[in-house]
Structures are given as structure tokens and as C-alpha cells.
Amino acid sequence: MNDIGEFILLVALATALYGVVSYVMAINGNRIDLYLSADKTPVIVWGCVVIASIALWRAFLTDDFSLQYVWAYSNRELDTFYKVSSFWGGQKGSLLFWTLILTTYMTVVYFQNRKKNIRVMPYAMTIMLLIVIFFLFLLNFSTNPFERIPLPPEDGRGLNPLLQNYWMVIHPPTLYLGYVGFTVPFAFAMAALISKNLDDGWIRLTRKWTLLAWFFLCMGNLFGASWAYVELGWGGYWAWDPVENAAFMPLLVATAFLHSIQIQEKKDMMKVWNMSLVLLTFVMTIFGTFITRSGLIQSVHTFDEATLGYYFLGFLGVIISICVTMIILRLPLLKSKNELDSFLSRESSFLFNNLVLLGIGFATFWGTIFPIISEAVRGVKITVGPPFYNQVNVPIGLVLLALIGIGPVIAWKRATWSNLKKNFLMPVAAALIAAAVLFPIVPLKERAEIFTYITFILCVFVMTCILKEFFKGALARREQHGGTFIGEVASLTWHNKRRYGGYIVHIGVVLIFAGIAGSQAYGVHDQRHLKIGESIKLRNYTITYEKLNAVEATSVKTRVIAQIGVYRDNQRVWTGRPEKEFYKGQNQPVSEVDVLSTIVEDVYLILADFREDESATIKVYINPMVSWLWTGGWVIAFGTMVCMWPDRLEQRRRLSRMKKQEALFAPAQE
């Protein structure tokens, strides 16, 4: 089966090359026979990659240590659950997994569009096949997952213990689904540029694909934060690690794109801007991959293989060159038909929203690459840590939070004073009340506390803006239909999924802002070396160290568990059991934290160290409002699903809008 897996990857590469050549010849020569022949290649390539993936999974599940990759990332004692996830635990398998997702997306796009969008499909398929060829080239000639060991060992080295966590099983696939998903809008955007079909057809074709990729990337970032929180044992969830930044930057650019395409769809503006954003999103995904796989940056998330970095750097350079060239060549065709009427308008607020998102993206990009540039120029590697990112991104983030409330409710074209008063009087009043109520309660001595205070006020402002929209819409529907208020809220959302689904996403974002602000500003921690029966007092908690147990979990894993009683106001509220896990063949033990999570705060326990006399070093964090962060993530997931749900009314509205635009511009075209 390993031979089949290795051979079939070569077949996939040859087929993809044939597909590209045939598509190009069919386009240039108007050859229908070549087009029909090329049209089968996406499915064949996908089939080949599926067979190769099955072969690698089989090798993991049958403990076939004749493969170097299986030996390096598995062993006989590893749970079947983690043997499956070991597939993407290393460089070679993760590239094959990436290719599997990419070819699967390509096949879905093929079946979805082959009979509907003949004008751009050959171009889009050619672009996607070219990207597939790059990854198949790496798999065949640089990082072959089917590389053999001459004398196969009896057992494998095992999966990194840090990766043996359920969040790490979910996090990489989700992130890859997001990263790879942006290939689809990129391919259609390039197809539109090459074929000169530069109306907003390519946006309609790819809007849900963009939303789907954005959803997975957003969830991937949150799952990664969850993994860092429960597995890395440092009390936090985001460290501005370069690899975290690499996943965050395309999310920012894609968010900007999802907002600005609404202006193009409704006002026929910002065509160059939108085209640039969608291309930049894909470029940032490849840049993130370059960062992760180049060996330039050391991180718990990176793959240590420097040779791949040159391939990705070259690929990145080619993509950027082609994107810039195509946009310059097509500038005359990308000219917008309308212009901005006023700075006090929804178009302006979306534009500011874009600039703010790109500002955060650029600051993150600069902080990520500055150590690399510093080392290349001066030979000194300078670490850019959280203080830089917090100092730059927090004020910009507050502007973004305010725009989340302003953008969706301010009037299109030009907002009048009466419009502003009607839409913002209540939210501003609510924010002022919140400011007055919070002022005597929250501490305001440090910079972080002042920013947190402003964040809470803005959260109230934005939530009032959003809830007012739901209230106003549901009230109008109840007057018209006479149903219950809750029923009309549901009906309102169902009949305008894109708009109200977006509001739900914004509610999730507000919860995340509040969670980040609260946990960063008001968290406290302490660390003590304790004997059995001794305690730590932190805020209104008493944390008592009770006993230490050692358990042989498996033949390769030993668990040392501390039992800790947690009391609040002299009442026992929880028994925490943080532990250290020792794996056979691994030098460093792994900390498994234990967390009591409530809507107000988390009690976060770490067994930092222990001695033979059973004394132990216990680290305790009280992290306020962390659960708001995870709740916000699930709210975003729900809102995105609402947005993506098929909406016939929206299709009819869009058709009507297109007919009006055609009627409006028809005399000018003549």
C-alpha cells in the first residue's frame, strides 16, 4: 500500500500538469475536445490524493514503522484517536493533508460550477491546478511522506505529548480548512482578471466560499487559543507568537474583504480595493505557511525544515508578482462607476473599518518579520513581544470596536443629523450610563485598566446598536403579523439571514473583546512551594494543597497528580487536579492544567514542580471573563451559519438590484 501511495502521488502530479496544459490550449485554441479532456483532471487528481492519504492513514493505524514519517510521529501505545491525527502532526503529512483539502475543495468547485459558469471555470480550474502542482511537487521531490527506513524499528518515537490533546486534533484541520479555502476566491478573482470578466460575478460565485474559509480560520484561531490555554500551562491563550500571527493576518484581511464587497455589490465601488484584498488574503495564507515551514522562526507550532522555506519563498514571490501585474494591467476595467458621497455614510464607515483592520494586520506583520529582518541585516535577533502588539493594536482595536457599532446602522450614501440622532441617541446614552456605573467600580490606575474601561463602554454602545436593530425590526414585524416578540426576532433573522446573521457575528465579536479586555487587565496569579495542608490565598479564594498521587496510565505514560481544594468564602467549591505527565522517550514532562471555569472568572491551577517529600510548587491564576471569549466564538459560529444558509429572498433582492443597475447604466453604455 505504501508503494501505491508513493506512486499515486506521481500520477496525481502528471495528471495535474496535463490538466493545466490542456486547459490553456483549450482556452487559446478554442478547442472543445481539449477542454472536455482537461475537464476530467480535477476529479482524477483528487482521487489520487485520496488514495495516497488512505495509504498513509493505513500505515499509522497498522503501526507500519517502515515509513520514516510514521516512526517519527507515532508508536504502538498511542491511542487510535491520536494515530489518526498524527497524519498532520509533522511536515510531510501536513502537506499531504493540505493537498487533500485543496483537491477536495477543487472537486466541489468543479461539480458546483462546471455547467453554470463556463466563461471563467477553465481559468479558475487552471489556477487551482497550478497551486495543486506546487504542493504535489513538494510531496514527490522534497517531503515524501512515504520515505522508507532501511531497517524498520520495532516501535516508533511517538507523537509530541503537547500534540496529544483533543484541541490539537481539531485545531490544525480547522485552520487548514480556512487557509486552503481562500484558494477558491483567489482562483476566481484571478480567473476574472485573466478573462476580463470583471463585473461582480466572481464575488457572487465566491462570497460563500470566502465566508466558509473565514469561518474555519476564525474557529481555527479560537481552537488554537483553547489548546494554548489548557495545554501550554502559562495561564494565557494568546502570546503573539509568530505562528499565531501568521493565522491571524489572513483573518484580518479576509474580514476587511467581506465588509468591502458589500459596497461593491450595492454601490459598484471599490473594485480595485476588493480585488487587491482577496488576492492579499491568499498571499497572507502562503506567507503564513512560509513562516511555519521555513525554519526561520522557532515556535512550538513550527516545522523545522529550512529547505521548504526556499520553495515557499519562491512561490510567494511568483504569486505576488503575478497579482500585482494583473491588477496593473486591468486597472482601466476595474474603474468604479460611483464615488464616495460623504464621510458620514455607511460606505465611509466600511472603508474606515477596512483601514483599521489592515492597520492591525500591518502592525502584526511588522512585528512578525522584524526579528527576521534584524537578524539578516545586523546579525542580531530582536524579539518582538506582547508589549509591542498591545501598545499598537489595542488603540486601533478600540476604533474597530466602535466602527462595529456604527457601520451597520449609519445610512448609505449620506447620513443626516436626524438619521444620526435616530440611530445613535440610545446607544450613546447607554454607553454614557455604563461609563458612569463602571467608573467607581473598576480600577483606573494603569494604562491597561483605562483601555479596559473604554472597551467595556464601547461594548455597551455596540451591543445597544445591534439589539436596537433586532428590537426595531421585530416590533415592525409584530405590528404587521401579530406574532410573539421572540418569534418575530427569529422570523426577522430567517427572512434576512445575511444582515441579521452578520449582527449575530458582531455580538460574538463584542463578547470576545470584553473577554480579552477583562482577562488581560484584571487577572492575578501567585506561585508558592507548599507542603501538604498548606494554602495560597488569592482574591477571595483559598487554595489548599491536599495530596500527591502517581499513576501508571499506560506502559509509556506516568501521571503525577496533585489534589487541590479550592474554597471561596470558606466554602469548598471545587477540587482541582493539575498534573504532570511523563512520557517514555521524552525528556521533558508535560503539564496538564485544571481549570474551574465560570461566567465571571476561571480558577486555573498548574502543578509546576514536586519533590520526593511530596511538597509541590503550585501556580494559581484567577483569570476573569475568559469564558466570554469562548462563548463569543460559538456565537460567531452560529451567526456565520445563519449568513451562509441559502436565502431565496436575498437572491431575488440581488436580481432586482442588478436589473435596476442595468437599467441605470444602459444609456451610458450606448
Side-chain angles (χ1 to χ4, degrees):
M1 193 72 185
N2 296 337
D3 292 333
I4 294 173
E6 190 170 16
F7 175 71
I8 207 76
L9 284 176
L10 278 171
V11 175
L13 178 60
T15 308
L17 284 166
Y18 172 79
V20 168
V21 173
S22 301
Y23 269 128
V24 171
M25 290 177 66
I27 293 166
N28 290 333
N30 202 20
R31 294 268 303 273
I32 189 67
D33 56 333
L34 282 173
Y35 173 76
L36 292 173
S37 177
D39 212 30
K40 298 178 178 62
T41 55
V43 180
I44 297 171
V45 172
W46 172 74
C48 292
V49 175
V50 168
I51 292 170
S53 303
I54 291 171
L56 187 59
W57 259 312
R58 178 189 170 278
F60 272 109
L61 293 172
T62 58
D63 297 323
D64 184 354
F65 301 115
S66 66
L67 293 186
Q68 187 275 339
Y69 185 68
V70 176
W71 168 80
Y73 293 97
S74 182
N75 60 25
R76 294 186 186 280
E77 295 293 335
L78 194 65
D79 290 343
T80 303
F81 187 58
Y82 293 121
K83 284 181 180 177
V84 172
S85 66
S86 294
F87 186 105
W88 52 80
Q91 179 86 280
K92 298 173 180 177
S94 67
L95 279 177
L96 179 57
F97 190 60
W98 184 296
T99 313
L100 175 65
I101 295 173
L102 177 56
T103 52
T104 303
Y105 276 151
M106 181 174 68
T107 306
V108 174
V109 170
Y110 166 77
F111 282 111
Q112 191 183 43
N113 295 281
R114 61 176 176 156
K115 293 181 180 176
K116 294 190 294 186
N117 301 293
I118 303 297
R119 286 188 306 168
V120 295
M121 270 300 284
Y123 298 95
M125 283 292 108
T126 304
I127 302 294
M128 293 192 78
L129 280 171
L130 282 169
I131 297 166
V132 170
I133 285 170
F134 171 73
F135 284 95
L136 286 173
F137 173 82
L138 295 180
L139 287 169
N140 279 289
F141 303 113
S142 180
T143 55
N144 181 4
F146 296 100
E147 182 184 347
R148 307 295 200 284
I149 295 176
L151 294 172
E154 286 294 319
D155 204 351
R157 196 167 59 183
L159 185 66
N160 183 339
L162 287 174
L163 304 182
Q164 295 181 41
N165 178 280
Y166 57 94
W167 283 119
M168 209 55 194
V169 176
I170 304 168
H171 163 57
T174 316
L175 208 59
Y176 289 168
L177 284 165
Y179 257 48
V180 182
F182 287 118
T183 308
V184 178
F186 170 79
F188 276 93
M190 287 300 294
L193 285 169
I194 297 168
S195 64
K196 301 181 183 178
N197 290 302
L198 289 166
D199 53 17
D200 58 358
W202 68 273
I203 290 179
R204 290 198 303 276
L205 284 173
T206 60
R207 197 183 72 82
K208 287 195 175 178
W209 279 101
T210 311
L211 204 54
L212 183 74
W214 181 90
F215 165 74
F216 280 123
L217 192 56
C218 187
M219 292 298 107
N221 273 281
L222 281 168
F223 292 159
S226 298
W227 168 75
Y229 190 59
V230 301
E231 191 64 25
L232 295 185
W234 60 284
Y237 43 83
W238 190 269
W240 294 106
D241 179 279
V243 179
E244 290 174 339
N245 296 347
F248 186 49
M249 288 182 284
L251 182 68
L252 291 168
V253 183
T255 306
F257 174 69
L258 282 170
H259 284 85
S260 63
I261 56 171
Q262 294 180 48
I263 303 176
Q264 182 170 340
E265 286 179 310
K266 295 197 174 184
K267 298 292 177 182
D268 201 18
M269 295 165 57
M270 300 175 68
K271 286 185 175 179
V272 179
W273 181 261
N274 287 326
M275 186 60 77
S276 303
L277 284 180
V278 76
L279 300 184
L280 181 61
T281 303
F282 180 72
V283 167
M284 294 313 297
T285 64
I286 299 300
F287 172 75
T289 314
F290 163 68
I291 288 285
T292 315
R293 296 166 192 276
S294 63
L296 287 173
I297 290 171
Q298 295 302 315
S299 163
V300 69
H301 307 78
T302 53
F303 301 100
D304 189 17
E305 188 155 353
T307 53
L308 269 189
Y310 296 109
Y311 291 116
F312 275 99
L313 189 61
F315 188 52
L316 191 62
V318 170
I319 290 173
I320 292 172
S321 303
I322 293 174
C323 290
V324 172
T325 305
M326 288 307 302
I327 286 183
I328 292 172
L329 287 175
R330 298 292 183 256
L331 270 180
L333 298 175
L334 288 168
K335 190 176 178 183
S336 298
K337 293 175 181 173
N338 293 311
E339 294 181 352
L340 204 63
D341 291 302
S342 169
F343 283 105
L344 277 177
S345 64
R346 191 173 299 185
E347 297 93 316
S348 296
S349 70
F350 278 22
L351 181 59
F352 290 138
N353 155 294
N354 272 219
L355 295 175
V356 168
L357 284 165
L358 292 186
I360 298 172
F362 178 75
T364 308
F365 175 77
W366 181 247
T368 305
I369 65 162
F370 185 74
I372 302 172
I373 295 173
S374 170
E375 189 175 20
V377 176
R378 299 174 55 196
V380 179
K381 195 162 191 171
I382 296 174
T383 302
V384 179
F388 164 78
Y389 294 102
N390 292 338
Q391 190 162 10
V392 177
N393 285 343
V394 170
I396 306 175
L398 291 178
V399 177
L400 178 66
L401 180 57
L403 287 170
I404 291 173
I406 296 168
V409 296
I410 197 171
W412 288 101
K413 202 171 181 178
R414 187 186 299 274
T416 61
W417 169 248
S418 63
N419 170 265
L420 293 172
K421 188 177 172 184
K422 178 183 172 188
N423 288 322
F424 295 111
L425 182 61
M426 186 185 292
V428 169
L432 291 174
I433 292 169
V437 171
L438 289 173
F439 186 76
I441 299 173
V442 299
L444 290 169
K445 295 177 181 175
E446 298 179 4
R447 185 172 181 268
E449 291 169 346
I450 295 169
F451 278 133
T452 300
Y453 175 64
I454 298 170
T455 304
F456 287 158
I457 294 168
L458 288 174
C459 285
V460 171
F461 168 76
V462 177
M463 284 295 277
T464 311
C465 286
I466 297 170
L467 295 179
K468 184 168 167 282
E469 286 297 296
F470 276 102
F471 182 79
K472 193 170 64 177
L475 207 61
R477 286 189 66 85
R478 194 172 68 170
E479 287 175 1
Q480 192 176 355
H481 302 287
T484 63
F485 183 77
I486 298 297
E488 291 306 327
V489 168
S491 176
L492 179 74
T493 307
W494 182 252
H495 286 91
N496 201 335
K497 301 179 185 70
R498 189 173 171 184
R499 178 179 176 184
Y500 289 92
Y503 288 155
I504 294 170
V505 171
H506 285 179
I507 290 173
V509 175
V510 170
L511 292 175
I512 288 176
F513 264 94
I516 293 172
S519 60
Q520 294 298 308
Y522 306 129
V524 292
H525 68 275
D526 196 2
Q527 176 177 320
R528 303 271 181 87
H529 190 79
L530 302 175
K531 293 179 180 177
I532 289 176
E534 291 183 331
S535 301
I536 300 173
K537 289 188 181 295
L538 194 62
R539 291 229 169 114
N540 55 343
Y541 289 97
T542 301
I543 291 97
T544 303
Y545 171 48
E546 296 178 341
K547 64 180 179 180
L548 194 70
N549 291 325
V551 179
E552 293 287 337
T554 67
S555 62
V556 295
K557 183 169 80 172
T558 302
R559 299 166 62 195
V560 176
I561 308 167
Q563 180 174 308
I564 296 170
V566 176
Y567 299 82
R568 185 172 55 212
D569 301 328
N570 297 320
Q571 295 289 322
R572 190 181 183 102
V573 293
W574 180 52
T575 301
R577 292 184 175 82
E579 61 185 68
K580 277 198 175 296
E581 293 183 345
F582 294 82
Y583 287 82
K584 183 181 176 184
Q586 300 288 339
N587 296 327
Q588 295 294 326
V590 177
S591 290
E592 292 290 336
V593 306
D594 206 1
V595 185
L596 171 65
S597 186
T598 67
I599 192 170
V600 177
E601 60 196 5
D602 286 6
V603 180
Y604 184 103
L605 301 175
I606 306 166
L607 173 60
D609 196 10
F610 62 91
R611 295 177 185 170
E612 289 185 358
D613 63 357
E614 296 190 5
S615 62
T617 302
I618 306 297
K619 192 181 285 188
V620 184
Y621 287 82
I622 307 296
N623 293 329
M625 299 178 69
V626 173
S627 62
W628 289 48
L629 188 68
W630 318 131
T631 306
W634 292 117
V635 172
I636 288 175
F638 175 67
T640 312
M641 287 178 189
V642 171
C643 287
M644 291 171 58
W645 203 265
D647 192 339
R648 292 181 181 174
L649 285 173
E650 175 62 26
Q651 290 172 2
R652 283 202 287 268
R653 282 194 290 266
R654 188 182 296 131
L655 190 61
S656 171
R657 197 161 53 241
M658 288 169 61
K659 285 179 178 175
K660 285 180 183 175
Q661 286 180 349
E662 286 174 6
L664 183 65
F665 291 106
Q669 290 171 352
E670 289 171 1

